[in-house]
Amino acid sequence: MEDLPTDPGLRPRITNYSPNDQDQVRRAYLLAGPCQPRDHAFPQKIFGNKLRRFNKDWFGLYSSWLEYSVSKDSAYCLCCYLFKPDIGDQAGGDSFVGEGFSNWKKNDRLQSHVGGSNSAHNQAVAKCQDLLKQKQHIQTVFEKQAKQDEDDYLIRLNAAIDCIRFLLRQGIAFRGHDESENSSNRGNYLELLKFLADHNDEVKAVAFGNAPQNVKLTSPDVQQDIVTAAARETLKVIVEEIGDALFSILVDEARDISVKEQMAVVVRYIDKKGNVIERFVGIEHVSSTSAISLKEAVEKLFSRLGLSISKLRGQGYDGASNMQGEFNGLKALILKDNPSAYYVWCFAHQLQLALVAVAKNHEDIAMMFFVTNNVVNVVGASSKRHDILRGKHAAKVVEALNVGELASGQGLNQETNLKRPGDTRWGSHYGTLVSLITMFEAVIDVLEIVRMEGPKGDQRTMARMLLGSMQSFEFAFTLHLMRSILAITSELSQALQRQDQDIVNAISLVELSKKRLQHMRDEGWQSLFEVVSTFCEKNEIIVPNMNERFIAQGKGKRKAPIITNLHHYQVEIFYNVIDMQLLELKTRFDEGSSELLLCVACLTPSNSFFSFDKDKLIRLAEFYPEDFSPMEVLILHDQLETYIFDMRSNKEFSMLHGISDLAKKMVETGRNRTYPLVYLLLTLALILPVATASVERVFSAMTCVKNRLRNKMSDQWLNNGLLVYIEKDVFDGIDNESIIDYYQNMKTRRIKLSSQKKRLD
């Protein structure tokens, strides 16, 4: 098109071009406009006895079609050239198209060529105008249809994403057993999409039967791609928030419903506002639970996320040997690559071991837990017994309300049931003991029914044995004793599981629990004995005379040691059990046993920074040679002097309770930029993991996402579904446009969006 001659006298006839090119040639000439060389020196010709030439003023009169050929000194009509009228249809015939008009004497021929409204010239002009109207061009029709298809596709795609958002957030299955059109239940995704279409005319107009067969967006592959896009965009936000920040990892492994070993990884870091953040970043299927396999899985995950192990500053696991093994555990393998990735044994796990496992080493406490577990099993053996228990308990509550033993009110005296304890569910034993004490009378009634009316054999024998054990003073005493001990640490157990919990505050909470246990040992005997006595009186349990000789059950007087009941219950049980707890807590949570934790404790702002110790904070910096060069350690020495003077003289920092509050306040006031090295110390202290509760929550979520009915899902689907299900707050902040962008760029789609962006993976 660029080589078309502009001089009308040199142009070939329009019919000389192929039919496929004629419209393009016409459009090119129309867009360029008539050839009108206004500055040309037009030559003169003799007409009769006068010299005449082309008048350039004619360009102004007939600007839309009149052309002049320099080579032939002739005038032409652009419109008639492009759409040549039949010769003889009007004055001038073919002169303005073929040889050109050059009779300058008869300039009235120009107006004659134009003719009337329906002249051949005006018909040619009309055809030129139609050609320039894009809406009447076939390409415009195609573009309009393509634009409509794109708009419909976007409506359909947004509807699909909205449905998938709901299913992912709720952890609900997508597929149905029968997804055929005749099925009454086509699965959650299709049924939800149909529901949306039925209540949204815009979606209904483009979905299901109104959608093209190849872009209905209902296939399992499309669903999986959209879920992948949603998960990747969620993960992208998390990784971008981490950026180049230092972080720690929390790792644990467990089997899913299909007996696959899954390793969950949670990352702990500090955001730009100084908040402690724990985010789930992935679950990896591991064929082996050896430390080497776990290490390879962690490295694989880090590589996929773009995280560097050199930025790792903490590790948090439970007490399994493959995790915390001193020589070949995951902890040791990571420390070989990064000596600054300090390991912290899960506080909540240690607390569980200290309070329950150690308590079971005491013969009387072990017997109480044995009886309690069997009571839960017998009473919960059938739904019928559950119903009887609830009915008996409800009747006891009504009776107590009537006589004024219980207060009524919203949230009080709710229908309940016996809670089953679990060794990996922190605080579950406390809930079991509380529910047993609350429902004690109803439990006894149910056991009596089982003893009298239950199946003959083991069930009746077990019920009889449990009744004898439960209706003894010893059981009642140990039951209330362990409830009181576990109550002291219940708040600690809950606090340790907070995602923003810091190591310094956790240590202080442990110390508080130690003090409360010691106070209970020193001052709590009399109050506990009174509570137990009242309980026994209410439930018709004989309270022994504390001054009489204690006779152990199953032993004769000759073999029994000569001690009083008071000595047995107060010394051998009360003091002994509490001493075991205190000893275990002191052994496991001895602040002085770890120099690192001792130095970290100096950062606490409590009591006007009473624990501040510059030398220990300098020592803390020396634990991290990768983050503090020798020169920065010297600078830190001077910076700490100004920092502590500023903190103690500023009222904004006088009411802080923990280093997490301190970090947020420093960011809020800009002190993190004033004292960058001190803030780095705070960051290192805050990212030290406290408990693996976040990982435990991942496995709880896994039982929802991958359950008995969904036990064949792929590892990728499980990972993507878990990521979005757990990190809902991040996922909610991602708009559909981002998900669409990722989805479109995953592979070539049948419809490519005009606004689609290029993604660099």
Side-chain angles (χ1 to χ4, degrees):
M1 294 298 119
E2 296 177 354
D3 297 331
L4 293 175
T6 56
D7 191 314
L10 302 178
R11 296 172 187 162
R13 290 183 176 272
I14 197 71
T15 54
N16 291 353
Y17 294 99
S18 68
N20 292 332
D21 294 336
Q22 287 180 15
D23 270 358
Q24 294 188 47
V25 172
R26 288 174 174 138
R27 190 175 292 106
Y29 278 123
L30 285 173
L31 292 175
C35 177
Q36 297 177 346
R38 296 174 183 267
D39 296 332
H40 177 64
F42 299 102
Q44 295 180 335
K45 290 182 180 180
I46 298 175
F47 289 90
N49 57 357
K50 289 185 178 182
L51 292 172
R52 298 180 183 274
R53 62 183 176 184
F54 181 86
N55 188 348
K56 64 180 180 179
D57 292 339
W58 296 339
F59 286 142
L61 295 174
Y62 309 103
S63 60
S64 62
W65 59 269
L66 182 61
E67 296 187 296
Y68 175 80
S69 171
V70 174
S71 62
K72 293 188 176 182
D73 187 29
S74 300
Y76 293 85
C77 175
L78 175 62
C79 296
C80 291
Y81 164 71
L82 297 178
F83 295 96
K84 177 184 176 184
D86 294 336
I87 298 175
D89 280 355
Q90 64 178 60
D94 193 43
S95 60
F96 283 88
V97 177
E99 297 301 323
F101 170 74
S102 58
N103 190 351
W104 312 132
K105 179 180 179 181
K106 298 181 179 181
N107 56 4
D108 57 332
R109 290 285 184 87
L110 296 173
Q111 185 59 40
S112 299
H113 173 74
V114 173
S117 59
N118 198 34
S119 66
H121 169 80
N122 283 325
Q123 291 178 23
V125 170
K127 290 180 180 181
C128 290
Q129 292 173 349
D130 290 342
L131 184 64
L132 288 178
K133 291 179 181 178
Q134 293 293 318
K135 292 182 179 180
Q136 296 184 18
H137 189 260
I138 188 64
Q139 183 177 352
T140 302
V141 176
F142 287 149
E143 289 177 356
K144 181 180 179 181
Q145 183 60 45
K147 182 65 170 62
Q148 185 62 47
D149 291 343
E150 182 180 321
D151 291 343
D152 294 347
Y153 175 69
L154 269 176
I155 295 172
R156 200 159 50 248
L157 185 53
N158 272 294
I161 293 174
D162 288 340
C163 293
I164 287 175
R165 275 184 181 275
F166 177 82
L167 297 175
L168 285 174
R169 291 188 86 262
Q170 301 303 117
I172 301 175
F174 281 56
R175 303 291 304 282
H177 175 69
D178 181 6
E179 294 189 346
S180 64
E181 292 186 4
N182 298 326
S183 173
S184 60
N185 186 354
R186 302 177 66 189
N188 291 326
Y189 173 73
L190 293 179
E191 291 293 337
L192 186 59
L193 187 59
K194 183 178 182 299
F195 177 85
L196 182 61
D198 290 342
H199 292 77
N200 188 315
D201 293 338
E202 189 179 39
V203 176
K204 186 176 184 178
V206 298
F208 293 109
N210 296 325
Q213 291 294 322
N214 55 358
V215 281
K216 285 190 172 183
L217 302 181
T218 56
S219 72
D221 290 342
V222 168
Q223 297 173 39
Q224 187 166 353
D225 285 350
I226 294 177
V227 170
T228 299
R232 295 294 172 81
E233 287 298 313
T234 302
L235 196 58
K236 176 186 173 185
V237 172
I238 295 173
V239 173
E240 287 179 350
E241 188 177 48
I242 298 173
D244 293 330
L246 304 173
F247 63 92
S248 62
I249 57 170
L250 308 172
V251 180
D252 202 357
E253 39 85 19
R255 290 182 180 180
D256 61 24
I257 193 67
S258 60
V259 201
K260 278 181 157 184
E261 203 71 40
Q262 305 286 1
M263 184 191 74
V265 179
V266 171
V267 175
R268 180 183 174 97
Y269 59 95
I270 310 300
D271 68 6
K272 294 179 180 179
K273 295 182 179 179
N275 298 306
V276 180
I277 305 294
E278 287 184 2
R279 295 290 188 196
F280 169 66
V281 292
I283 194 165
E284 292 283 333
H285 169 54
V286 289
S287 56
S288 169
T289 58
S290 66
I292 294 177
S293 298
L294 297 178
K295 171 78 172 346
E296 290 175 351
V298 170
E299 290 177 337
K300 179 182 176 182
L301 180 63
F302 275 22
S303 175
R304 191 166 66 244
L305 299 179
L307 299 176
S308 173
I309 200 170
S310 64
K311 294 289 185 179
L312 191 60
R313 291 298 180 270
Q315 309 175 64
Y317 319 123
D318 61 15
S321 59
N322 61 339
M323 295 288 191
Q324 70 155 352
E326 195 68 29
F327 301 104
N328 297 316
L330 178 60
K331 172 192 78 172
L333 295 178
I334 291 180
L335 282 173
K336 288 179 182 178
D337 294 340
N338 184 356
S340 297
Y342 294 104
Y343 166 74
V344 178
W345 190 357
C346 171
F347 273 45
H349 187 262
Q350 293 187 76
L351 182 66
Q352 181 79 350
L353 293 176
L355 297 177
V356 178
V358 174
K360 289 181 179 180
N361 290 331
H362 191 284
E363 182 179 347
D364 296 298
I365 301 300
M367 177 58 71
M368 185 273 295
F369 276 115
F370 174 79
V371 172
T372 300
N373 290 336
N374 280 283
V375 167
V376 173
N377 291 334
V378 171
V379 173
S382 68
S383 57
K384 179 181 178 181
R385 294 178 189 175
H386 272 291
D387 293 340
I388 295 173
L389 178 65
R390 282 192 287 264
K392 293 286 185 181
H393 180 63
K396 299 291 184 184
V397 169
V398 171
E399 182 181 350
L401 287 171
N402 290 335
V403 299
E405 291 181 2
L406 288 178
S408 61
Q410 185 175 1
L412 299 177
N413 312 312
Q414 299 274 333
E415 182 181 350
T416 183
N417 212 327
L418 284 181
K419 297 182 179 179
R420 187 175 298 275
D423 288 336
T424 59
R425 297 198 301 272
W426 321 128
S428 61
H429 288 81
Y430 174 68
T432 301
L433 300 186
V434 170
S435 63
L436 181 56
I437 292 172
T438 304
M439 307 182 71
F440 191 85
E441 295 178 75
V443 170
I444 294 296
D445 289 344
V446 173
L447 289 175
E448 287 283 4
I449 293 173
V450 175
R451 185 177 71 86
M452 299 296 295
E453 303 175 6
K456 293 182 179 180
D458 294 343
Q459 286 283 319
R460 291 191 179 187
T461 303
M462 177 63 73
R464 182 177 180 180
M465 185 274 290
L466 292 176
L467 281 169
S469 298
M470 290 182 66
Q471 291 177 310
S472 67
F473 179 81
E474 187 160 303
F475 178 82
F477 181 82
T478 52
L479 177 65
H480 282 79
L481 172 61
M482 285 310 299
R483 181 200 67 95
S484 299
I485 290 175
L486 294 177
I488 289 176
T489 55
S490 177
E491 293 181 3
L492 170 62
S493 178
Q494 295 297 322
L496 289 177
Q497 297 175 62
R498 282 175 35 207
Q499 292 185 355
D500 61 346
Q501 186 60 267
D502 62 79
I503 199 88
V504 175
N505 197 46
I507 293 172
S508 66
L509 289 172
V510 171
E511 290 301 312
L512 179 62
S513 296
K514 293 179 187 177
K515 292 177 182 178
R516 289 191 62 192
L517 280 173
Q518 186 63 50
H519 178 76
M520 178 182 175
R521 186 189 189 282
D522 297 338
E523 307 290 341
W525 161 256
Q526 189 61 39
S527 60
L528 176 65
F529 182 75
E530 291 174 358
V531 169
V532 175
S533 298
T534 303
F535 177 83
C536 290
E537 182 180 351
K538 178 182 177 182
N539 292 282
E540 299 179 353
I541 299 173
I542 299 174
V543 179
N545 187 331
M546 291 293 110
N547 295 320
E548 292 182 357
R549 182 181 178 184
F550 171 73
I551 303 298
Q553 189 176 5
K555 294 183 180 180
K557 289 186 178 181
R558 293 180 180 179
K559 295 182 180 181
I562 304 175
I563 58 173
T564 62
N565 287 320
L566 178 63
H567 179 84
H568 172 69
Y569 289 108
Q570 185 176 25
V571 177
E572 293 186 344
I573 298 181
F574 183 76
Y575 288 156
N576 194 10
V577 170
I578 295 178
D579 287 342
M580 290 173 64
Q581 302 291 342
L582 283 170
L583 178 62
E584 191 66 22
L585 286 175
K586 289 177 181 178
T587 302
R588 293 182 180 276
F589 299 102
D590 185 4
E591 184 181 345
S593 63
S594 172
E595 186 182 5
L596 175 65
L597 298 184
L598 192 63
C599 294
V600 166
C602 296
L603 288 166
T604 180
S606 302
N607 299 322
S608 298
F609 296 83
F610 176 79
S611 301
F612 177 82
D613 188 320
K614 186 175 70 173
D615 293 335
K616 289 182 180 179
L617 292 178
I618 294 295
R619 176 61 184 141
L620 177 61
E622 293 172 350
F623 274 99
Y624 299 94
E626 296 294 326
D627 305 302
F628 292 91
S629 65
M631 180 180 294
E632 287 173 327
V633 172
L634 289 175
I635 296 173
L636 176 63
H637 188 281
D638 298 328
Q639 196 174 102
L640 284 170
E641 293 281 355
T642 309
Y643 159 79
I644 194 59
F645 181 82
D646 185 10
M647 295 296 103
R648 286 174 174 169
S649 60
N650 195 315
K651 291 183 179 180
E652 287 186 276
F653 293 86
S654 61
M655 302 300 292
L656 302 179
H657 300 290
I659 59 174
S660 58
D661 293 339
L662 176 59
K664 286 184 279 190
K665 181 61 69 174
M666 286 188 71
V667 173
E668 182 183 326
T669 59
R671 298 296 203 288
N672 60 318
R673 295 188 297 273
T674 306
Y675 310 110
L677 297 179
V678 178
Y679 186 74
L680 179 56
L681 282 178
L682 272 174
T683 300
L684 292 168
L686 285 170
I687 62 177
L688 282 175
V690 177
T692 58
S694 297
V695 184
E696 298 292 342
R697 294 187 187 101
V698 171
F699 295 134
S700 296
M702 186 169 66
T703 61
C704 297
V705 175
K706 186 174 183 178
N707 51 40
R708 184 175 58 85
L709 297 177
R710 305 174 69 190
N711 60 3
K712 293 184 179 180
M713 65 168 52
S714 67
D715 292 333
Q716 182 184 359
W717 183 274
L718 173 62
N719 181 74
N720 292 339
L722 269 179
L723 184 67
V724 176
Y725 179 70
I726 294 171
E727 300 300 341
K728 292 184 179 72
D729 57 333
V730 178
F731 180 50
D732 289 343
I734 298 172
D735 55 25
N736 283 10
E737 184 179 352
S738 300
I739 297 175
I740 291 173
D741 180 39
Y742 194 101
Y743 170 80
Q744 287 293 115
N745 284 281
M746 289 175 70
K747 55 180 142 180
T748 303
R749 303 291 176 186
R750 294 185 182 275
I751 294 182
K752 188 174 180 65
L753 301 176
S754 58
S755 59
Q756 186 175 332
K757 296 176 286 185
K758 300 296 182 181
R759 177 180 293 275
L760 297 176
D761 291 324

